Structures are given as structure tokens and as C-alpha cells.
């Protein structure tokens, strides 16, 4: 029996978390979804559970996405989940800052829809996608 | 609204802040320059007012600096002018010194030459030799008489120093000279006897002594004048240096300080505007993007015929739009507070009522918070809208974050009157602001506890800007439990605040 794909949504906006979960359920049926409202909660969850994909907002109180990436990059290895930044800011500076981290494999600008979620398949690691297919 | 804000350095020391308040008030006036305008037709007016205020501030600073420069340069000019006038006077009075010393020395030499000619006349071998000597003698006498006339003129005018006058008058120099010339003339004219010529030649040593005294008197007078000149020049130099030192301390140092503060203020304002320009697009776009995502999700739900789910998502989209509306409204408030044109006029404000109204406005948010207002019956002469803006935001935050977990959530509001200001205090028993976040407490779009209450992170920013528009400020301090915000509102100068009766009359007239 194969474990389902596990996706962590990190966003301080409850509304955006609802939207993300809705879209992910339709895009990756059967995937297990977890949510964190800032970088601190995300690190706690990542310490406790394995994930295959992280959707990461940038602008969050307490610990934002860039600060999270700075910390997470020191821990990440080849088996670590892919990270896709999902933010309402399309500014070049944010994009450059996020893409400077090797752990980041994609950058999406909100709104998050089933159409834009299709590109997530390009960013997720093959083994994660195999979980979805099974 | 999330407890937000932050001050650069939270503290409660109000006494220290007066100086900073003035600077911040000017800073706030400049800040308004690049702020977005109010809605509709207000944009152009707000922008123009802000520009006018910035120009006014620049003109004020320029006038201040110009006045200081004028004073500084005038003082230096006065010292230079005084030095020049004195130097001119000294040069003028010393102009004849060299000639007087020269001519008095020549008199000494002539007295000996004349005595020598007399001696030669006395021993002339033939009449021709005697005539020749008499001719030379007359030349010497003419020259000596001319010198005497030159040297005696200042004596008659009383222009000589005491020492010179003594040499000529009290010591008998003048009488001796006149007698000497008279006797020499008799010899030159051939009317003097042999004995008289003999006596005249023998008196040469005595004449030399009085001539020496006159020369030394002239030399001494010149040296005295020169040393006095040197001393006074040294005094003027010392005075000039003192003036420069005083200007450095009381004019240039404050000017440099002012320029430095202005530059720092502009730099801070620029940083704030850059932060606003960076943050505002994100915070304005976030609720729009959320709504777009929700509407897309609604479309999905409707395709699946999940009407209930679609309805729920639509409600959330509506809330996102309300959130956007709220953010835009607050930004308009920010612009209004930062704008300097058409500032609301001051009026007498009952501070107890300001607290009561602020609490009433957010009473619907929570019914489990005990709001305690300590009545002080104090009144302040301030712009009511700015004061209400500041107090409303502080009270709203306090009520939102009051902590009921201990059994009793409370908010305490009171006012303390100090000699130069009122201290409006807002205390809650909430979760407070983490130490690491306090530096950002009064920043734009700063939220610290989004999981406790909703907000857009503009409340404390607005409160502080309003306080600064009043000439005051807000400071945060942690207390156990909760937070304490102190709103400093300076008292209006007595000559700028009318009595309440007069204010009422003004109000009725307007």
C-alpha cells in the first residue's frame, strides 16, 4: 500500500488556505493536506511529519516565507519536499529573493486556481507524483 | 485589528520626547508628500496641500538658516569693520612719526653743524673764508628754522604726547632752540661779538643734550603708539576669535544639528515611503487575489453542483471584498492624517468623553471585556478628529486583545495631567507585544497576532501619526499582564486657547 502525497499549505490568510485546499483536492485527489499559518508553525510540522510538497506564502506575521526559507535551507536534503512559493506579490524583488533558495522549485502568484495548480505537477518531485498516480 | 505597531523604541519617558515630537511633526508633514490622495476629487487638493506644507517647511528651514547666517556674518563683519577703522586711525596718527623723528634728528645734527660753523668763523684766516662760513651758516639756520616750524606746529595744537611736550616745553627745549637760532642769526649777520661767538660755540654740548632729548621723546612717542597698536590689535584678534567660538557654539553648531536632523528626518521619511510603496501593492492585492481564488473555486463547485459549498465560498469572497474596502478606508484615513492642508481646527475636548465614545464604537466586538474609565474631567484644547483617531485605535486594539483566559478581561483608560501635556493611558491585560516585535510596533501593515483578531495592521500606525499631528506621540510599554500605551498630547500655549465660553462663541459664529 502506497502512502498518499502529503502537501503542507503555509499561509496566514484563512481564506487563502481554504482556497488552496479546495484547489489541491481537485488537482491531487487523495492527497493529504496540512496547514500552517506562518513559518514557525510550518517548521514545527516539518519536524513532526514528512511532506512531499510545500505551498509557501511570503508575507506572514511572526515568520515570513523568506525567513522560513533561510532556516529550512540549512536543514533540507535531497529527500526534502519541493517548495512552491504562492504569494499575492508578483514583485520582481520577491521572486528573485525566493528563487535564490535552491529548495524553491516554483513561484506562483495568487489567485490560486485549478488552472494555475496544474503547473504544480512540474514542480513536485517524481516520487511525490507517483504517490498521486497510485 | 492585530496589535500592531510599533515604535522605534518603546519607552514611557514623556519628558524626553518634546524635542523629538517637534521633529516628528515636521517629519509627518513631509511624509504626506508622496502619499496617495483621498478618493474622488480630494486627490488633487490633498496632494497640493501636502506639497504646500512641504514647501512651507522648506521655506521655514531656509529662513531660519538664513537668519542664523546673517547674524553670524554680521558679527564677523562688525569685528572686521572695527579692526579696519582702528587700523586706519592708527596709521593716520602714525603717518608723521618717521618724519618727526627724522627732522628732530636733523635738528640735532644741524645744532652741531651750526656750532662748528661758528667756531670756524671765529678762527677764519681771512674775511673771504669768514663770509663763506657765514653763507653755510645761513643755509643751516634756514633748514633748522624750517624743521623747527614743522616740529613746533603740533606742539601749538597740543597734538604731541606728554613726553614730547615735556621735552619741548617743561625741559626748555623750545626756548633753547629759539635762543639758539637767534644767536646763530646774529653770528650769520656779522653782528655778534667775538665773545658772543665764543660762548655760542662752547654751548654746543648743551644744545646737543636738549636735541637728544627731543629725538628720544619723538622716538619714545612712536614706540609707545606702536606698542599700544599691537596690544589693541591683539585684543581685536582675541575678540574675533571669541566671536567665532561663540558663533560655532550658538549658531553653527545648532545649524549643523538642524541640517543633520532635517537630513535624517528626510531619510526616515524616504524609508517609510519606500516601505509603503513596497507593502501597499501587496496588501491591497491580497484580498483581491483571495476573492479571485474563491470565485474560481465557486465556479468549480457549481460545475460539481455543490451549491452549498459555492454559497459558502461566495460569502468568503464577500468578506474579502469587505476587507479590501476596510483597507482602502484606512489608507484614506492615513492620507487624511498625514495631510497638512486644512487641518481641523482645535476645540475644547472632554477627555473622558473621548474614551467613552471610543469604547462605545467597538463595544459590539466583545461583551466579555470590562472597560474601566477613570473619570478625570480634564479638558484639552486640541483638534478633536486627530485625538479621536488616536484614542479610537488604541482603545479598539486594547479591547480586541484583552485576555479573558484569566477569568476577567479588562481595559483601563485614564488621563494624567502634567505641566506641559496630557497623558492618556490605555492599558489592557492582553497578550502584549513580543520583545522582538516591538521595534516594528507602529509600522505600516504590521500584524503580530493574526490568530487572535483580524485587522489590516494600520491601526497603531494611524494612532501614532494622529498623535504626531497633534504635536504629541505614543509610546508602548509592556506590563504584567498586557500592554500599556501612553498617548502624549501637548497642552496648547495659554495665549492660543480661548476660554470655553469664547470657544463656544467662535463655534456659533462659524
Amino acid at each position: 500500500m502506497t502512502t498518499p502525497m502529503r502537501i503542507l499549505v503555509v499561509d496566514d490568510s484563512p481564506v487563502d488556505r481554504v482556497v488552496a485546499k479546495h484547489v489541491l483536492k481537485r488537482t491531487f485527489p487523495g492527497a493529504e493536506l496540512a496547514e500552517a499559518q506562518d513559518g514557525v508553525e510550518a517548521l514545527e510540522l516539518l519536524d513532526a511529519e514528512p511532506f512531499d510538497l510545500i505551498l509557501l506564502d511570503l508575507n506572514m506575521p511572526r515568520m515570513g516565507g523568506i525567513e522560513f526559507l533561510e532556516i529550512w535551507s540549512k536543514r533540507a536534503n535531497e529527500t526534502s519536499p519541493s517548495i512552491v512559493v504562492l504569494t499575492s506579490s508578483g514583485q520582481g524583488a520577491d521572486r528573485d529573493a525566493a528563487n535564490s533558495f535552491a529548495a524553491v522549485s516554483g513561484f506562483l502568484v495568487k489567485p490560486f486556481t485549478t488552472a494555475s495548480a496544474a503547473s504544480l505537477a512540474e514542480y513536485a518531485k517524481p516520487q511525490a507524483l507517483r504517490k498521486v498516480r497510485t | 485589528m492585530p496589535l500592531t505597531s510599533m515604535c522605534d523604541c518603546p519607552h514611557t519617558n514623556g519628558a524626553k520626547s518634546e524635542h523629538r515630537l517637534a521633529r516628528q511633526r515636521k517629519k509627518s508633514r513631509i511624509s504626506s508628500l508622496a502619499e496617495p490622495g483621498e478618493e474622488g476629487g480630494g486627490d488633487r487638493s490633498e496632494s497640493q496641500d501636502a506639497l504646500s506644507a512641504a514647501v512651507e517647511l522648506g521655506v521655514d528651514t531656509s529662513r531660519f538658516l538664513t537668519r542664523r547666517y546673517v547674524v553670524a556674518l554680521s558679527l564677523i563683519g562688525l569685528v572686521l569693520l572695527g579692526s579696519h577703522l582702528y587700523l586706519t586711525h592708527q596709521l593716520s596718527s602714525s603717518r608723521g612719526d618717521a618724519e618727526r623723528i627724522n627732522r628732530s634728528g636733523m635738528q640735532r645734527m644741524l645744532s652741531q653743524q651750526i656750532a662748528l660753523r661758528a667756531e670756524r668763523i671765529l678762527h677764519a684766516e681771512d674775511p673771504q673764508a669768514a663770509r663763506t662760513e657765514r653763507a653755510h651758516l645761513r643755509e643751516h639756520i634756514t633748514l633748522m628754522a624750517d624743521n623747527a616750524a614743522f616740529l613746533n606746529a603740533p606742539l601749538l595744537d597740543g597734538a604731541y604726547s606728554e613726553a614730547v611736550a615735556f621735552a619741548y616745553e617743561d625741559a626748555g627745549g623750545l626756548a633753547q632752540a629759539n635762543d639758539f637760532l637767534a644767536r646763530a642769526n646774529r653770528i650769520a649777520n656779522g653782528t655778534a661779538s667775538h665773545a658772543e661767538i665764543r660762548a655760542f660755540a662752547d654751548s654746543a654740548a648743551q644744545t646737543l643734550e636738549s636735541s637728544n632729548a627731543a629725538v628720544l621723546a619723538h622716538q619714545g612717542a612712536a614706540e609707545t603708539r606702536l606698542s599700544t597698536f599691537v596690544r589693541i590689535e591683539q585684543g581685536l584678534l582675541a575678540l574675533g576669535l571669541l566671536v567665532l567660538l561663540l558663533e560655532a557654539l550658538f549658531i553653527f553648531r545648532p545649524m549643523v544639528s538642524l541640517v543633520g536632523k532635517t537630513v535624517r528626518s528626510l531619510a526616515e521619511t524616504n524609508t517609510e515611503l519606500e516601505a509603503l510603496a513596497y507593502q501597499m501593492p501587496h496588501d491591497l492585492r491580497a484580498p483581491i487575489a483571495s476573492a479571485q481564488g474563491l470565485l474560481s473555486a465557486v465556479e468549480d463547485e457549481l460545475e460539481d453542483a455543490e451549491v452549498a459549498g459555492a454559497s459558502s465560498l461566495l460569502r468568503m469572497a464577500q468578506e474579502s471584498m469587505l476587507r479590501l474596502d476596510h483597507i482602502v478606508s484606512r489608507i484614506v484615513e492615513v492620507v487624511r492624517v498625514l495631510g497638512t492642508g486644512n487641518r481641523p481646527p482645535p476645540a475644547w475636548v472632554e477627555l473622558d468623553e473621548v474614551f467613552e465614545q471610543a469604547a462605545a464604537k467597538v463595544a459590539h466586538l466583545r461583551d466579555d471585556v470590562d472597560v474601566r474609565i477613570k473619570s478625570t474631567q480634564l479638558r484639552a484644547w486640541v483638534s478633536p478628529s486627530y485625538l479621536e483617531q488616536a484614542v479610537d485605535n488604541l482603545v479598539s486594539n486594547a479591547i480586541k486583545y484583552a485576555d479573558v483566559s484569566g477569568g476577567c478581561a479588562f481595559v483601563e483608560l485614564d488621563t494624567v495631567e502634567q505641566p506641559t501635556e496630557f497623558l492618556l493611558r490605555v492599558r489592557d491585560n492582553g497578550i502584549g507585544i513580543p520583545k522582538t516585535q516591538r521595534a516594528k510596533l507602529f509600522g505600516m501593515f504590521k500584524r503580530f497576532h493574526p490568530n487572535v483578531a483580524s485587522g489590516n495592521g494600520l491601526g497603531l500606525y494611524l494612532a501614532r501619526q494622529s498623535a504626531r499631528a497633534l504635536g504629541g506621540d505614543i509610546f508602548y510599554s509592556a506590563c504584567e499582564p498586557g500592554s500599556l500605551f501612553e498617548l502624549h498630547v501637548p497642552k496648547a500655549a495659554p495665549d492660543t486657547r480661548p476660554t470655553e465660553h469664547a470657544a463656544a462663541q467662535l463655534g456659533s459664529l462659524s
Side-chain angles (χ1 to χ4, degrees):
Chain A
M1 177 178 177
T2 306
T3 56
M5 180 180 183
R6 292 177 54 79
I7 303 174
L8 173 61
V9 177
V10 188
D11 200 313
D12 63 314
S13 165
V15 172
D16 286 352
R17 292 200 298 271
V18 167
V19 172
K21 286 192 291 185
H22 168 88
V23 172
L24 291 171
K25 280 177 185 172
R26 294 180 70 89
T27 307
F28 304 113
E32 287 187 1
L33 305 178
E35 55 186 277
Q37 63 177 2
D38 58 32
V40 175
E41 284 190 12
L43 289 172
E44 290 171 357
L45 282 172
L46 287 164
D47 283 342
E49 308 170 40
F51 288 94
D52 300 300
L53 180 64
I54 300 172
L55 279 187
L56 177 68
D57 188 18
L58 291 183
N59 201 300
M60 295 179 288
R62 197 154 67 146
M63 182 187 291
I66 297 299
E67 194 179 352
F68 165 83
L69 288 169
E70 287 171 350
I71 296 172
W72 179 247
S73 294
K74 296 171 185 168
R75 305 184 191 176
N77 55 42
E78 291 180 356
T79 63
S80 297
S82 301
I83 298 177
V84 174
V85 170
L86 177 61
T87 175
S88 56
S89 168
Q91 297 183 52
D94 288 336
R95 185 184 295 268
D96 293 344
N99 287 334
S100 68
F101 292 94
V104 174
S105 54
F107 189 97
L108 295 178
V109 178
K110 296 174 185 175
F112 190 45
T113 64
T114 47
S116 60
S119 61
L120 285 179
E122 301 172 19
Y123 304 132
K125 292 181 177 176
Q127 62 269 31
L129 295 176
R130 276 199 296 278
K131 292 179 183 179
V132 177
R133 293 190 189 100
T134 56
Chain B
M1 140 183 344
L3 243 200
T4 12
S5 337
M6 45 311 254
C7 63
D8 343 281
C9 182
H11 65 82
T12 57
N13 182 6
K16 171 183 175 185
S17 57
E18 193 163 316
H19 174 70
R20 183 167 59 169
L21 300 190
R23 176 170 66 82
Q24 290 295 355
R25 182 161 56 174
K26 290 199 169 188
K27 171 186 162 188
S28 298
R29 294 166 63 187
I30 298 176
S31 299
S32 61
L33 241 191
E35 297 295 343
E38 210 175 338
E39 69 254 45
D43 287 7
R44 180 178 298 270
S45 172
E46 290 275 346
S47 172
Q48 287 175 340
D49 289 340
L51 180 61
S52 300
V55 170
E56 179 192 338
L57 176 60
V59 170
D60 287 348
T61 304
S62 176
R63 284 178 181 160
F64 174 79
L65 292 176
T66 301
R67 278 197 296 271
R68 294 264 174 151
Y69 269 123
V70 167
V71 170
L73 295 178
S74 297
L75 287 173
I76 292 174
L78 281 176
V79 172
L80 288 175
L81 181 62
S83 178
H84 169 75
L85 290 176
Y86 177 74
L87 180 63
T88 302
H89 168 72
Q90 280 301 119
L91 288 175
S92 174
S93 61
S94 303
R95 188 169 294 151
D97 282 358
E99 186 173 5
R100 277 190 288 275
I101 293 171
N102 180 43
R103 290 218 191 195
S104 65
M106 197 187 300
Q107 293 294 72
R108 182 176 57 184
M109 180 271 292
L110 287 171
S111 69
Q112 300 308 299
Q113 286 282 342
I114 288 171
L116 180 61
R117 296 293 175 190
E119 186 75 28
R120 287 180 179 172
I121 291 170
L122 193 62
H123 298 98
E125 295 178 354
D126 53 58
Q128 179 59 37
R131 277 195 296 275
T132 302
E133 290 301 328
R134 281 196 180 90
H136 288 308
L137 180 60
R138 276 193 289 274
E139 289 174 6
H140 294 335
I141 289 170
T142 301
L143 187 54
M144 191 172 190
D146 182 55
N147 287 342
F150 174 82
L151 293 170
N152 293 344
L155 190 66
L156 299 175
D157 296 339
Y160 274 144
S161 68
E162 195 173 329
V164 176
F166 178 84
Y168 276 90
E169 295 178 333
D170 301 293
L174 181 58
Q176 274 191 356
N178 290 336
D179 177 61
F180 182 83
L181 283 172
R183 291 164 67 193
N185 269 321
R186 285 169 56 80
I187 295 171
N189 295 336
T191 56
S193 65
H194 190 274
E196 284 176 330
I197 297 174
R198 177 75 267 163
F200 181 82
D202 291 344
S203 68
Q206 187 183 355
T207 306
L208 178 63
E209 190 178 336
S210 63
S211 296
N212 258 341
V215 172
L216 290 175
H218 279 295
Q219 182 180 337
E223 288 175 350
T224 299
R225 199 167 9 242
L226 185 61
S227 61
T228 302
F229 174 73
V230 169
R231 279 199 304 275
I232 292 184
E233 275 302 310
Q234 288 173 338
L236 287 172
L237 176 63
L239 177 63
L241 292 175
L242 179 63
V243 168
L244 284 176
L245 177 64
L246 293 175
E247 288 183 349
L249 288 175
F250 299 109
I251 295 181
F252 291 113
R253 189 171 65 169
M255 283 171 60
V256 169
S257 175
L258 172 68
V259 171
K261 285 174 185 170
T262 304
V263 169
R264 282 195 297 277
S265 173
L266 288 173
E268 289 171 6
T269 301
N270 200 38
T271 301
E272 195 169 285
L273 289 174
E274 284 177 355
L276 177 64
Y278 173 82
Q279 192 67 30
M280 193 178 287
H282 172 272
D283 286 84
L284 283 176
R285 191 173 182 280
I288 297 174
S290 296
Q292 286 176 309
L294 286 165
L295 292 174
S296 176
V298 167
E299 201 173 7
D300 295 338
E301 293 292 292
L302 291 178
E303 282 178 5
D304 297 344
E306 294 286 347
V307 177
S311 177
S312 171
L313 292 170
L314 275 176
R315 277 195 299 276
M316 295 173 73
Q318 189 176 23
E319 287 169 6
S320 286
M321 289 298 98
L322 288 174
R323 183 178 155 216
L324 175 63
D325 180 60
H326 188 56
I327 290 176
V328 171
S329 299
R330 299 312 293 270
I331 289 175
V332 169
E333 289 172 17
V334 169
V335 173
R336 184 172 290 130
V337 169
L338 293 181
T340 53
N342 302 319
R343 281 181 177 274
W348 283 109
V349 176
E350 299 281 348
L351 299 180
D352 289 347
E353 287 182 12
V354 174
F355 277 141
E356 289 164 3
Q357 290 169 2
K361 288 175 188 173
V362 289
H364 64 283
L365 295 178
R366 295 180 65 175
D367 58 5
D368 57 350
V369 179
D370 180 14
V371 180
R372 305 164 187 167
I373 301 175
K374 181 180 175 184
S375 175
T376 57
Q377 298 187 330
L378 291 171
R379 289 189 296 269
W381 177 252
V382 296
S383 295
S385 57
Y386 286 145
L387 182 64
E388 289 165 9
Q389 179 79 267
V391 172
D392 286 357
N393 280 294
L394 292 179
V395 172
S396 168
N397 262 4
I399 289 177
K400 285 181 189 173
Y401 294 97
D403 185 9
V404 76
S405 62
C408 176
F410 69 85
V411 171
E412 292 178 340
L413 311 170
D414 71 349
T415 303
V416 176
E417 182 174 16
Q418 296 185 335
T420 60
E421 64 182 4
F422 294 104
L423 208 55
L424 284 75
R425 302 189 297 192
V426 178
R427 182 187 170 184
D428 65 64
N429 73 328
I431 48 184
I433 303 297
K435 218 170 192 173
T436 55
Q437 306 279 4
R438 289 174 193 166
K440 304 173 183 174
L441 190 59
F442 294 96
M444 272 188 183
F445 299 112
K446 297 299 179 188
R447 304 177 59 199
F448 300 106
H449 305 299
N451 52 333
V452 176
S454 63
N456 48 39
L458 284 171
L460 286 179
Y461 174 81
L462 266 173
R464 169 168 272 190
Q465 293 304 328
S466 299
R468 289 177 173 175
L470 292 170
D473 209 338
I474 297 176
F475 299 103
Y476 167 84
S477 58
C479 52
E480 282 299 329
S483 300
L484 171 65
F485 286 90
E486 293 181 331
L487 167 59
H488 295 245
V489 179
K491 290 180 177 176
D495 56 348
T496 63
R497 60 187 188 210
T499 62
E500 205 162 2
H501 176 66
Q505 286 186 322
L506 281 173
S508 63
L509 286 174
S510 62

